[in-house]
Amino acid sequence: MANTNDKILFSWVATEYDEHERHPDWFWLVGIITAIGIILSLVFMNFLLAIILALGVSSLFILEKREPDIIEVRVTPRGLIIGSDFYSFDSVKSFWVEEDETKTQILLKSQRLIMPYIIISVDTEEVGADKARRYLSKYIPEVFHSESIFEKFLEKLGFWFNAWCFKLKAISYSGTPCRST
């Protein structure tokens, strides 16, 4: 847990992930593919796979109906506070600001072996990419990083996995600590 008495240098409020509007056909397609997988696994007497597929698609449908949480992102002299998680600058190896036509992201590479990348999507109108780069470069080296091809492919298909990385879309900015709404 982070020390809440740290001076906030840069902060914004964000959603946990980018929400995608799902057409009912998407649910039907995923459901039909899963049903085929369950039927085939039962035909081949693989009951464990059938249970895993049923639980997996049920979890996916439940998560798709869930609204993204509002998360506070704050930069302090000691590190970043994302929601209730603190990432000290000592534990972050480097960062990169990736900009394209549709979005701007801050990619942080941490020292963790599992899930080392923390990806933060930023609304450039609210939190400019240059401003974020300026603040972070005081504390972390800027080194080129990119989302993996697998993550980009899943994003094109409309999946999000907040267990793999934080996808935060900035919805407001303030120079003072964020307040919960």
Side-chain angles (χ1 to χ4, degrees):
M1 197 70 164
N3 181 359
T4 56
N5 295 330
D6 283 345
K7 178 183 174 189
I8 305 301
L9 301 175
F10 188 72
S11 67
W12 65 92
V13 178
T15 57
E16 182 181 15
Y17 55 86
D18 292 334
E19 190 171 18
H20 298 282
E21 189 66 33
R22 301 279 182 235
H23 191 274
D25 291 346
W26 185 89
F27 290 98
W28 277 105
L29 180 64
V30 172
I32 290 169
I33 291 171
T34 304
I36 291 169
I38 290 171
I39 291 168
L40 287 174
S41 63
L42 292 174
V43 166
F44 291 111
M45 305 281 242
N46 192 342
F47 301 112
L48 182 59
L49 179 59
I51 291 170
I52 290 171
L53 287 173
L55 290 174
V57 79
S58 299
S59 298
L60 178 65
F61 286 168
I62 290 169
L63 288 173
E64 279 300 318
K65 292 298 182 184
R66 184 178 72 92
E67 293 290 322
D69 292 335
I70 301 295
I71 296 175
E72 297 175 275
V73 179
R74 297 175 279 182
V75 178
T76 71
R78 295 184 327 125
L80 288 118
I81 303 168
I82 302 175
S84 61
D85 298 323
F86 177 72
Y87 300 93
S88 72
F89 288 128
D90 294 335
S91 70
V92 177
K93 291 182 180 179
S94 58
F95 82 97
W96 181 254
V97 178
E98 185 176 84
E99 299 178 80
D100 65 21
E101 305 82 40
T102 59
K103 62 183 174 183
T104 300
Q105 296 180 326
I106 299 172
L107 291 88
L108 302 172
K109 184 175 184 183
S110 69
Q111 294 179 356
R112 299 181 302 185
L113 294 176
I114 299 173
M115 299 184 304
Y117 289 99
I118 303 159
I119 302 171
I120 307 169
S121 295
V122 179
D123 183 352
T124 55
E125 292 178 10
E126 295 291 330
V127 181
D130 293 332
K131 185 176 260 187
R133 181 180 285 120
R134 210 172 34 248
Y135 277 103
L136 291 175
S137 64
K138 293 178 184 178
Y139 304 100
I140 311 170
E142 186 173 5
V143 176
F144 175 76
H145 302 293
S146 180
E147 274 188 293
S148 72
I149 293 172
F150 181 65
E151 288 173 347
K152 289 181 180 182
F153 174 71
L154 289 176
E155 193 172 305
K156 288 285 185 199
L157 290 178
F159 288 98
W160 53 265
F161 292 92
N162 62 344
W164 290 352
C165 63
F166 285 103
K167 291 241 183 229
L168 306 173
K169 179 163 174 48
I171 55 176
S172 72
Y173 164 77
S174 70
T176 58
C178 300
R179 293 179 180 84
S180 299
T181 54

